[in-house]
């Protein structure tokens, strides 16, 4: 029986513990740190009935006999909690982002270098069946010499969390590069063999915009108190809105998406260059709704072009020479990040086994740090003036 401790038992970790226990019914949560532990015991009696509550992480790690730890705190606490677990060399499941600042990044990187902890980061996309198939095809050489990678993430109905809930507070989340792009940068690295095909990333250019979720409504305004709550397109009180399914306390907690304190860009794009000279483009936006959702990539090679989209559960390869078209689908749809959550659970069970190493998992902490580095570089790039903005290079050269 595997005995695990959980730190921060929010919705994401609740789901992952359930999925992991489904694959190993003997898994048992024996220790927990969470300020809402009493309410959680009432909500999850089967998962937490035998768990001892501890006041802090240090006490949990120093007292409980554990085989592993799963961390699902708010994002700003991921690094400090992980550092404590790594110092104990315990198997670790860590939700993304692994860090939200350069200080945290360097602190976590140093802690990992001193630790023997087998690790799993909450990156389900890279281990989803559709992405793993895409990676196998790309790495097989079937596309020929790679010319470019293009990735898109048109996110459906996320104004609820990113502009109307606690995730609008970038001091807790690190912003949407760290929250969302970290997944996409990670699977792009996976497609390219984590450095095997194109080398390491050598530069990042990025730009972000805030065109929709902005306004001059007062900070702290809640939809329930707003004069236009019956007509505002983002209000849960407007019939037919994307948020209208939320009721009661959930609806009352929503904050104005057009206030002065919304935080977060609503679209952003990045260009990533690799050692080989290959470059990848990535763009994300949070204005799309319903069937307009798109998440996936196109990998263009000299011999063939591969495209896949998780929302459509489809991977297509167009062979340039003979016109042949391959189509693949797994039927996963929205089944736990398109099947990726099940794979993460299996990886965590593997790292709980004797002999596991920091790299046993397909989504190790070293891999998580590679994505975090790109996210931090993209976020930094957005804060620097571009050559166009400064006039540098404009009107010069053979244009």
């Amino acid at each position: 029986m595997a005995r695990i401790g959980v730190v921060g038992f929010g919705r994401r970790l609740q789901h992952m513990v359930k999925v992991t226990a489904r694959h190993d019914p003997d898994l048992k949560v024996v220790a927990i740190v969470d300020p809402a532990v009493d309410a959680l015991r009432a909500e999850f009696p089967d998962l937490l009935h035998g768990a001892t509550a501890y006041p802090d992480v240090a006490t949990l790690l120093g007292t409980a006999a554990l085989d592993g730890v799963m961390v699902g705190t708010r994002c700003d606490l991921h690094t400090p909690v992980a550092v404590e677990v790594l110092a104990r060399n315990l198997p670790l499941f860590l939700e993304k982002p692994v860090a939200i600042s350069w200080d945290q990044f360097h602190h976590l990187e140093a802690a990992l270098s001193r630790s023997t902890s087998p690790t799993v980061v909450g990156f389900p996309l890279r281990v989803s069946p559709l992405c793993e198939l895409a990676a196998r095809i790309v790495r097989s050489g079937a596309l020929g010499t790679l010319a470019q990678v293009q990735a898109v993430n048109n996110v459906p109905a996320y104004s609820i969390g990113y502009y109307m809930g606690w995730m609008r507070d970038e001091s807790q989340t690190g912003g949407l590069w760290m929250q969302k792009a970290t997944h996409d940068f990670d699977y792009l690295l996976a497609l390219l063999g984590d450095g095997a095909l194109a080398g390491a990333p050598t530069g990042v250019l990025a730009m972000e915009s805030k065109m929709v979720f902005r306004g001059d409504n007062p900070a702290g305004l809640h939809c329930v108190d707003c004069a236009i709550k019956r007509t505002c397109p983002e209000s849960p009180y407007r019939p037919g809105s994307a948020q209208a399914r939320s009721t009661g306390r959930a609806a009352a907690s929503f904050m104005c998406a057009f206030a002065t304190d919304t935080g977060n860009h609503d679209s952003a794009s990045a260009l990533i260059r690799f050692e080989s000279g290959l470059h990848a483009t990535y763009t994300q936006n949070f204005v799309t709704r319903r069937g307009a959702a798109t998440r996936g990539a196109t990998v263009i090679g000299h011999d063939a072009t591969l495209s896949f989209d998780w929302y459509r559960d489809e991977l297509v390869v167009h062979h340039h020479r003979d016109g042949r078209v391959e189509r693949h689908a797994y039927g996963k749809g929205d089944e736990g990040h398109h099947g990726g959550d099940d794979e993460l659970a299996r990886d965590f069970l593997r790292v709980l086994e004797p002999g596991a190493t920091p790299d046993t998992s397909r989504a190790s902490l070293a891999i998580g740090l590679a994505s975090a580095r790109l996210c931090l570089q993209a976020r930094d790039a957005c804060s620097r003036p571009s050559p166009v903005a400064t006039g540098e290079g404009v009107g010069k050269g053979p244009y």
Side-chain angles (χ1 to χ4, degrees):
M1 179 186 74
R3 296 165 51 90
I4 65 167
V6 296
V7 181
F9 200 54
R11 294 300 176 193
R12 176 61 183 158
L13 204 62
Q14 292 160 16
H15 169 72
M16 284 308 305
V17 170
K18 289 178 185 176
V19 173
T20 308
R22 188 168 69 230
H23 289 284
D24 181 5
D26 291 330
L27 184 85
K28 187 174 179 61
V29 178
V30 298
I32 181 172
V33 174
D34 194 293
V37 64
D38 292 335
L40 290 167
R41 284 192 197 279
E43 188 175 356
F44 302 100
D46 293 341
L47 288 177
L48 300 179
H49 72 276
T52 301
Y54 292 91
D56 52 58
V57 178
T59 306
L60 177 146
L61 293 174
T63 306
L66 301 174
D67 297 308
V69 178
M70 300 182 77
V71 178
T73 61
R74 289 196 174 181
C75 307
D76 56 323
L77 297 178
H78 288 178
T79 291
V81 175
V83 167
E84 292 194 63
V85 177
L86 291 170
R88 301 279 179 159
N89 297 312
L90 284 168
L92 168 67
F93 178 93
L94 179 64
E95 253 310 313
K96 61 80 194 170
V98 300
I100 66 168
S101 69
W102 282 114
D103 283 346
Q104 286 195 347
F105 177 91
H106 294 306
H107 195 195
L108 187 58
E109 188 178 44
L112 177 61
S113 71
R114 298 188 295 266
S115 178
T116 60
S117 289
T119 56
V120 180
V121 173
F123 280 147
L125 294 184
R126 81 152 43 217
V127 297
S128 67
L130 203 64
C131 189
E132 290 213 314
L133 174 61
R136 286 196 299 273
I137 294 172
V138 172
R139 296 178 197 181
S140 75
L143 306 186
T145 302
L146 299 183
Q148 188 185 42
V149 182
Q150 305 163 346
V152 175
N153 187 6
N154 293 333
V155 183
Y158 263 93
S159 60
I160 294 175
Y162 293 143
Y163 307 98
M164 303 175 76
W166 71 270
M167 284 187 286
R168 67 201 263 157
D169 183 353
E170 294 175 86
S171 68
Q172 291 191 43
T173 67
L176 290 180
W177 288 110
M178 315 307 300
Q179 275 297 302
K180 206 66 177 175
T182 188
H183 280 300
D184 301 271
F185 288 165
D186 175 66
Y187 86 71
L188 288 174
L189 294 175
L191 287 178
L192 297 174
D194 292 305
L197 292 184
T202 59
V204 180
L205 300 174
M207 187 175 294
E208 59 188 11
S209 301
K210 190 172 177 65
M211 304 301 296
V212 174
F213 297 116
R214 62 182 185 180
D216 55 8
N217 284 341
L221 176 64
H222 284 71
C223 294
V224 68
D225 301 317
C226 183
I228 60 168
K229 66 182 179 183
R230 303 294 181 190
T231 56
C232 174
E234 298 301 318
S235 170
Y237 301 99
R238 177 182 179 270
S241 73
Q243 282 70 260
R245 287 173 293 179
S246 299
T247 59
R249 284 190 301 173
S253 70
F254 289 175
M255 301 177 74
C256 179
F258 305 105
T260 57
D261 62 339
T262 56
N264 289 329
H265 62 245
D266 49 37
S267 66
S269 301
L271 274 170
I272 305 169
R273 181 177 291 278
F274 294 86
E275 286 175 332
S276 67
L278 181 74
H279 77 272
T281 67
Y282 169 72
T283 189
Q284 64 182 17
N285 91 78
F286 301 85
V287 179
T288 43
R289 292 291 184 268
R290 308 180 193 276
T294 302
R295 193 173 202 178
T298 298
V299 185
I300 301 171
H302 187 210
D303 296 332
T305 294
L306 177 151
S307 298
F308 66 95
D309 185 337
W310 276 286
Y311 287 113
R312 286 153 187 79
D313 185 40
E314 183 177 58
L315 184 153
V316 181
V317 182
H318 291 270
H319 292 272
H320 299 167
R321 308 302 168 205
D322 58 13
R324 181 164 48 94
V325 179
E326 298 176 33
R327 296 184 185 277
H328 305 267
Y330 279 92
K332 291 294 183 181
D334 271 333
E335 184 186 309
H337 282 99
H338 317 285
D341 287 345
D342 278 302
E343 297 303 317
L344 284 180
R346 292 187 180 101
D347 271 23
F348 185 58
L349 291 174
R350 290 188 191 102
V351 305
L352 292 175
E353 295 174 358
T357 69
D359 298 319
T360 292
S361 165
R362 291 167 289 174
S364 69
L365 184 51
I367 283 170
L369 285 165
S371 170
R373 180 186 288 109
L374 285 177
C375 292
L376 289 166
Q377 289 172 334
R379 193 177 70 184
D380 287 353
C382 290
S383 66
R384 293 192 295 267
S386 69
V388 172
T390 61
E392 180 185 347
V394 176
K396 301 176 182 177
Y399 297 111

